[in-house]
Amino acid sequence: MEDLLKNNYTAHYGLPGCIEPNLVIQTNETYFEIEDTGTREIVLHTNNGRGMAKFSNPNALSITIANYDKFVTSLPNYFQNGRKRCDIIVCDDGRNLILGEMKDSPNIKQHRKKAKKQLYESLTTLMAIPQFLALLNNKTVKRCCYFNKQTKSPAIITATTAFNRLALIFNEGFQMSHPAIEGQNFEFWEYLGGHTLTLT
């Protein structure tokens, strides 16, 4: 993934090669969470409750997490200014490829709308690259995912955790309709609060 971004992506768009360090994290942990620090850095956690996006990796697959936001921000201004981009790309040595946008905000509805635009534009930018399309040929689970660490309780109740029964029943997240993303042969999923994405 690092080579695809730093070399293939930049070559396809006629950009200078990227020399930005620390774009990729690798892990085979069976459970991990990803946090966006707000300074365009991502941090991997193995303790529950530390990150914004939660992943179960029961088969200990080799996972690559690319900091796509940091990568695009490192590119020349004429290319990256105004270009919407998601936070991460998660790819394993199995069948999964995930584009993710992460938040930790109670304003889920507003951020969901923005996340959809960021994910779709990131996807269309990546789909134009032949090497990315070749990578997709080996993947059967292709998702654009909106992760929000917070969950939403009824408006008159502030005890979010006590009323977070939906996340307990459907802990794998929700598949939502997004015709434009689906038109690219991806699915759109939403993960709130305690939802965990399982990589199989």
Side-chain angles (χ1 to χ4, degrees):
M1 181 58 67
E2 186 168 20
D3 184 61
L4 191 155
L5 293 176
K6 286 189 168 184
N7 298 313
N8 303 134
Y9 184 115
T10 54
H12 177 80
Y13 285 106
L15 303 167
C18 174
I19 58 170
E20 186 73 25
N22 305 318
L23 286 179
V24 170
I25 297 173
Q26 294 188 309
T27 186
N28 62 356
E29 294 285 345
T30 56
Y31 177 82
F32 62 93
E33 299 182 3
I34 306 169
E35 177 189 9
D36 180 357
T37 64
T39 58
R40 299 203 194 289
E41 298 295 337
I42 57 172
V43 178
L44 188 76
H45 298 286
T46 55
N47 296 330
N48 192 311
R50 301 286 305 276
M52 298 170 181
K54 300 180 177 189
F55 292 85
S56 173
N57 181 23
N59 298 318
L61 298 167
S62 177
I63 311 288
T64 300
I65 305 155
N67 188 338
Y68 185 67
D69 181 26
K70 181 179 179 181
F71 165 70
V72 173
T73 303
S74 76
L75 299 175
N77 286 339
Y78 68 83
F79 180 82
Q80 60 107 351
N81 279 352
R83 184 176 295 271
K84 296 193 183 340
R85 75 289 306 256
C86 62
D87 291 317
I88 54 173
I89 302 172
V90 179
C91 184
D92 62 33
D93 59 354
R95 57 195 197 112
N96 300 282
L97 193 141
I98 311 295
L99 273 63
E101 176 63 20
M102 301 181 293
K103 297 291 181 203
D104 184 7
S105 168
N107 196 343
I108 292 170
K109 185 176 180 181
Q110 177 185 340
H111 287 304
R112 177 190 296 124
K113 185 176 180 180
K114 183 179 177 186
K116 286 179 178 179
K117 291 179 182 176
Q118 290 170 283
L119 289 161
Y120 178 67
E121 188 161 331
S122 299
L123 180 59
T124 56
T125 301
L126 288 161
M127 292 285 280
I129 302 164
Q131 293 82 357
F132 185 78
L133 292 175
L135 176 65
L136 286 181
N137 287 337
N138 299 318
K139 305 300 177 187
T140 55
V141 178
K142 297 174 275 193
R143 295 183 181 179
C144 288
C145 301
Y146 165 54
F147 300 95
N148 195 318
K149 186 173 182 177
Q150 299 193 30
T151 190
K152 192 170 187 177
S153 56
I156 59 169
I157 298 173
T158 57
T160 300
T161 305
F163 291 89
N164 190 15
R165 301 200 189 281
L166 208 54
L168 297 175
I169 297 168
F170 301 101
N171 61 355
E172 290 287 329
F174 299 103
Q175 183 176 358
M176 313 283 276
S177 174
H178 193 300
I181 287 175
E182 291 158 12
Q184 300 286 354
N185 203 25
F186 271 68
E187 298 170 347
F188 176 66
W189 284 71
E190 184 172 288
Y191 296 85
L192 305 177
H195 292 157
T196 302
L197 194 164
T198 300
L199 301 167
T200 58

